Every structure is written in structure tokens, then in C-alpha cells.
């Protein structure tokens, strides 16, 4: 075994030495000479004189030299190793702060040289825009074209231009929506009479062609666990929004009034999948003869209206799952905390929440097409990605996407210090202790980043600090301030930043020299998430690339995680919080609860994939 490991290490060393040697030779080329070198690599691919595997080392060497010339950055061995993992259709697990963004560059250049059309998918539009602008000049310096996807359906020409580039950056969901739009248009075109396209051309009629996505050949997914796991619990639905007021407004309002009088466990129940269903007694109550049900307005069974109203009342909270912006309900993405302006819930839930908040009730959007993220990303011929955390999701990535994980070693040993987890009976005591801890750490000159699970909780802490006249920055998706500016300041001396999951992924916090001497950034996890990976992403904001830093987790018996998934543990926490010390190890118990939730969610996502596949087969069979 030792001999095998030694041989693998020697092979890796020789491979890296080849890249470094080639990159050293490329230093002698002019800028045009470097472009010509890339063009020669392209020609060798198209003429079939070069095997794909023989292209890896030259492509990575070009990337190393181009990064040095344009950005003044020397790609580290661990970053080159990660790039090779991506090229080999695997997942590179790199600890936060190790340079995942720059590690994707050589793999993207490799795919660009192949001429396959590389899609670099990020968790959100902000990160796509950031990475595009940071790396654009590197690609262009060696003659690789690059494009950026905008959001929404009204940018067809701009998107067509972005897709014909060698490399296209965009949020993961936008690639999926564009695929659905293409399929819709292709389906419409297939129904045209024979010869219609020729007649349109002959008479000079303008014909709208689908977005040219160049097929789904090569995808590099940043924060791949977020895109393929966390965001895969519901399908991507392409919908048509209708203006005006809902024709079934009265039905929605009456359903809400009835739902307010229904009792849980008696009139309705919540099943294991989280759906609300009326009991027989509940159905009797909502179908009472004396009730005036606006039957002529109904677009679905009356019971569905009431069940949607119950979900809005009992399962969805303002500033947690959605925000109210003027007269609009806007959805909050639970995995990142970002607010979407152009999305709505289906099956009457959105209208039920509008009724709950007293805003105008809009017509339901009309679903046109849908696809699960699992089925969409499995369409790519080459799929790979990067993440800092794969805890509890390795089996899913392997079985659903056929992706294996390669752990990339740290370039510099971590100096992160984990402070003991603090336990409290209730959230009021917890928030007061957090505020006190913030003041103590900040007084030493160290910056503090506090992660909250919801927008509502971020506002609770903000009010506490405001009352104590403590200066802070708030980042929870509701501000108009530039996110990058808020995050970039989070490493300044004495700075206090409160953030939802917005600051948990993809952001790099630079530390002032004095901050490093004082102990670095301190991160506070104010409430554990359902996924341990989300907590780890937040913790990963501190002690990056050898910098000092520390983190601490605060839990209370009434935290959502415990009351929702482990009431028995909430009782235990109440008892532990009353003890004279906190020497008890609760972290391992919390990890087990989170692992159980991950397994449950895995099952639901697998079921969703099977349903989507069966639906696709049925429609494919009946479609002429």
C-alpha cells in the first residue's frame, strides 16, 4: 500500500513538474506568441493529431502563465491539481479560501480549447458576474472568448451572444431555464407546416430562433453541493406571468378565513413530507352547506384552496421564507438568503400568502415547462465541480450524478480555533449572550461576522446591537447596498457584520494586517442549519489560507432545527443549559440530527427525480 501511494505521489510530482516546466518556457513568448500557442493547440484538437489527455498539461501551463501575466498570480500546485480533477469529470473538494474560483480557470480553458462550449455555473448571479469580471482579461489574453448570462427571458439576443462564446458564466438556474426556453421554441418550430421556414426566408419574414446554447457538453459547477443538492429539492418551472388581479380572489380570501378556524391534529395534519392534508372532520367543516363557496371562480378543488391557506399560515413566515416589498411577495432562497424578484410559488400557495399579508392577489402563473436539476445536469456530457464541503452528500453525488470526490490538501495548515459551543434555554438568552460576545471580541480590534439563519433573526440581532449603540453592517438581502462592498469591509479592524447565508458562500474577506496580529476574523454561528455544510461554509469565512481566526456556535432549546426535527433534543438542551458549566459535547448530537435530515432530503430529491423522469417518458410517448 505504501509503495502504491508513493508511486501515485511520484506520478503527481512528475505531472506538476511538466506543467511548471512548460509554463517556464511560455514566459519567453510574446503576448501574441501565447495566443498563437493556444491556436496551435486548438488546431491539433480539430485535426485529431492530439489525444484529449495530452492536452491537459499544455492547457494548464498556458493558464498558469496567463494568470501570472494578467493577474500577477502564480497558480499553486493544489489549484492545478484541483483543475485536473475537474478535467477528469470529478468534484474537487477544496477548503474555503484555497482559491476555488481560480482553480476553475485552467479547466475552463481546457474545455475552451476543445471548442465544446463551457458553461461555468455558480450558485447565483452575483458570483457569476464577479467571476466573469475577475477572469475575463485572462481568457481574452490567450484568445479564449467569454460571455456572461443576464437573468430573465427578455435578453434573447444578449444570451445568444453569450452562448456562442468559448466559455459562458451564469447562475446555475439560468442555464436550466434557458434550456427549457429552447425546448419550448424547438417544440413550436416542429409543429410548423412543412416548408414554412423556407417560405419565411423567401418572403423576408423575421423568424425567432431559439437561444443557441450549443448543446450541453461541458459544465463546471462552482459550489456544486449547493447547485446540485441544496437547490434540487424542487424542479425548475418555466412559467408565464399574467398581469392584473386574480379571478379567484374571493375564493382565496374565503379559504384563508376558514383556515384560521381549523385546528391542527383535529381538522388537518402535516405528513412526513411536510404537506398539509385535511382530515375527514376538516373536510366536513369546509364543505358545510351554509358556506357560500364561489364555485364559479375555482380553478382547482376547493380543499386545495384551504390547504394552501393552511400552509401559508403554519409553514411560511415573513422575513424567513419571503419578504413583502410594497405590494409584492418576493421569495427568499433558503440556501443563500437571496431574494428573487421574478419567482412565485405554484398551486395557489403564492396567492394564499398574498392574502395572508393583505396585498393584491395576483393571477397564478401558468407553468409551461419544468425539469429537475438532477435531470438537467445529467444531460451534460462532461460534468464536474468544486466545493468546500461535501459532508453527508457523497452518496447522492455518486449515485445521481456519477461524480466522485477528490479531496485537495490544504496549501497552508489551518490556524482556525473552535471555541466551545454555548447552550441556552431560549433564544432571548442566546441573543443577549451573542450581543455580549460580539462586544467583547470587537473591543480587542478583531472583526466579527455573525451568520443568521433567516432575515428575521438578522433583524432581531440588529435591534439588540442598535439598542446598545454598537455600530454594525447588515447584509440580509433587503438592502440596496452593494453586497461586495459590505463583505469586503468585514475584515477591517473592529468591524461587525450581520449576515444571512449571503456571506456563507463564495465571498473572500481580506484582513487588515493589524487584524491578523489581533487574532483574525471571528465567526459566530447564531443557529445551526438543517445542513451541516451550510454551517461549515459560514465557518470557512475565517482562518483562510493560513490566516488566524476563530469561530463559535450558539444554540438554544427553541431553535428551529430542534423544535422541527428533534423535540427530544430540545428537552435535553433545556436541562443542559441549567447546569453550572457547558462541558457537555452537544456538537456530535447536532451533527447526527443534521445527517438524518440530509438522508431524508436525499430520499425526497430521489423521489422528485423519479417523478420527473416518469412524466418525461409519458409526454414523450404521447407527443406526435
Amino acid at each position: 500500500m505504501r509503495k502504491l501511494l508513493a508511486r501515485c505521489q511520484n506520478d503527481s510530482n512528475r505531472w506538476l513538474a511538466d506543467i511548471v516546466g512548460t509554463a517556464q518556457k511560455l514566459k519567453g513568448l510574446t503576448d501574441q506568441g501565447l495566443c498563437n500557442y493556444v491556436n496551435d493547440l486548438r488546431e491539433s484538437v480539430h485535426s485529431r493529431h492530439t489525444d484529449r489527455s495530452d492536452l491537459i498539461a499544455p492547457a494548464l501551463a498556458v493558464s498558469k502563465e496567463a494568470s501570472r501575466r494578467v493577474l500577477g498570480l502564480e497558480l499553486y500546485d493544489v489549484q492545478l491539481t484541483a483543475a485536473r480533477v475537474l478535467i477528469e469529470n470529478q468534484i474537487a473538494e477544496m477548503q474555503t479560501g484555497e482559491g476555488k474560483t481560480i482553480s476553475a480557470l485552467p479547466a475552463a480553458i481546457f474545455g475552451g480549447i476543445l471548442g465544446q462550449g463551457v458553461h461555468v455555473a455558480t450558485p447565483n448571479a452575483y458570483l457569476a458576474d464577479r467571476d466573469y469580471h475577475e477572469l475575463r482579461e485572462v481568457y481574452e489574453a490567450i484568445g479564449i472568448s467569454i460571455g456572461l448570462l443576464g437573468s430573465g427571458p427578455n435578453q434573447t439576443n444578449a444570451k445568444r451572444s453569450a452562448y456562442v462564446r468559448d466559455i459562458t458564466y451564469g447562475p446555475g438556474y439560468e442555464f436550466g431555464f434557458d434550456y427549457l426556453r429552447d425546448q419550448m421554441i424547438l417544440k413550436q418550430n416542429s409543429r410548423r407546416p412543412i416548408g414554412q421556414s423556407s417560405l419565411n426566408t423567401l418572403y423576408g419574414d423575421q423568424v425567432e430562433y431559439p437561444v443557441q446554447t450549443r448543446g450541453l457538453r461541458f459544465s463546471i459547477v462552482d459550489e456544486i453541493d449547493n447547485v446540485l443538492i441544496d437547490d434540487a429539492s424542487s424542479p425548475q418551472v418555466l412559467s408565464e406571468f399574467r398581469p392584473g388581479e386574480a379571478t379567484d380572489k374571493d375564493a382565496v380570501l374565503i379559504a384563508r378565513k376558514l383556515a384560521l378556524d381549523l385546528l391542527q391534529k383535529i381538522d388537518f395534519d402535516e405528513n412526513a413530507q411536510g404537506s398539509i392534508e385535511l382530515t375527514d372532520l376538516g373536510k366536513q367543516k369546509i364543505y358545510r352547506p351554509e358556506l357560500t363557496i364561489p364555485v364559479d371562480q375555482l380553478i382547482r378543488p376547493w380543499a386545495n384552496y384551504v390547504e394552501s391557506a393552511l400552509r401559508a399560515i403554519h409553514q411560511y413566515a415573513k422575513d424567513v421564507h419571503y419578504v413583502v416589498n410594497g405590494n409584492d411577495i418576493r421569495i427568499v432562497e433558503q440556501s443563500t438568503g437571496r431574494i428573487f424578484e421574478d419567482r412565485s410559488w405554484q398551486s395557489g400557495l403564492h396567492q394564499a400568502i398574498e392574502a395572508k399579508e393583505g396585498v393584491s392577489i395576483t393571477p397564478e402563473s401558468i407553468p409551461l415547462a419544468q425539469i429537475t436539476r438532477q435531470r438537467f445536469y445529467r444531460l451534460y456530457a462532461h460534468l464536474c465541480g468544486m466545493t468546500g464541503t461535501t459532508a453527508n452528500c457523497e452518496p447522492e453525488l455518486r449515485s445521481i450524478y456519477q461524480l466522485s470526490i477528490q479531496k485537495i490538501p490544504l496549501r497552508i495548515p489551518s490556524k482556525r480555533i473552535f471555541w466551545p459551543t454555548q447552550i441556552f434555554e431560549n433564544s432571548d438568552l442566546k441573543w443577549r449572550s451573542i450581543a455580549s460576545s460580539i462586544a467583547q471580541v470587537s473591543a480587542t480590534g478583531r472583526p466579527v461576522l455573525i451568520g443568521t439563519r433567516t432575515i428575521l433573526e438578522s433583524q432581531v440581532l440588529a435591534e439588540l446591537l442598535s439598542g446598545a449603540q454598537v455600530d454594525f453592517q447588515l447584509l440580509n438581502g433587503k438592502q440596496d447596498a452593494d453586497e461586495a462592498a459590505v463583505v469586503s469591509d468585514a475584515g477591517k479592524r473592529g468591524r461587525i457584520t450581520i449576515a444571512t447565508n449571503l456571506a456563507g458562500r463564495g465571498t473572500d474577506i481580506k484582513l487588515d494586517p493589524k487584524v491578523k496580529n489581533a487574532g483574525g476574523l471571528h465567526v459566530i454561528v447564531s443557529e445551526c442549519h438543517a445542513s451541516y455544510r451550510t454551517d461549515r461554509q459560514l465557518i470557512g469565512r475565517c482562518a483562510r489560507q493560513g490566516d488566524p481566526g476563530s469561530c463559535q456556535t450558539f444554540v438554544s432549546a427553541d431553535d428551529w432545527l430542534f423544535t422541527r426535527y428533534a423535540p427530544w433534543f430540545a428537552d435535553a438542551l433545556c436541562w443542559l443549559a441549567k447546569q453550572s458549566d457547558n462541558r457537555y459535547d452537544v456538537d456530535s448530537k447536532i451533527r447526527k440530527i443534521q445527517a438524518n435530515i440530509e438522508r431524508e432530503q436525499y430520499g425526497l430529491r430521489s423521489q422528485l427525480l423519479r417523478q420527473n423522469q416518469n412524466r418525461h417518458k409519458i409526454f414523450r410517448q404521447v407527443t406526435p
Side-chain angles (χ1 to χ4, degrees), residues 443-456:
T444 66
R446 297 180 62 188
V448 184
L449 173 64
I450 309 97
T452 65
R453 189 179 63 85
T454 67
I455 293 173
L456 182 62

Side-chain angles (χ1 to χ4, degrees), residues 207-226:
V207 180
E208 183 64 32
Y209 291 99
V211 175
Q212 298 296 315
T213 58
R214 300 179 64 187
L216 304 178
R217 297 188 180 92
F218 199 116
S219 178
I220 302 173
V221 186
D222 190 12
E223 306 294 358
I224 194 168
D225 58 321
N226 176 261

Side-chain angles (χ1 to χ4, degrees), residues 33-77:
L34 197 62
C35 282
N36 293 339
Y37 182 81
V38 172
N39 288 333
D40 290 342
L41 292 177
R42 288 181 189 265
E43 288 297 326
S44 67
V45 171
H46 297 320
S47 62
R48 302 183 184 276
H49 291 162
T50 301
D51 187 82
R52 173 179 168 137
S53 60
D54 294 334
L55 184 66
I56 298 176
L60 268 60
V62 166
S63 306
K64 183 176 176 66
E65 173 58 15
S67 299
R68 185 193 68 81
R69 292 190 187 191
V70 178
L71 301 177
L73 294 177
E74 289 285 353
L75 292 179
Y76 301 122
D77 289 352

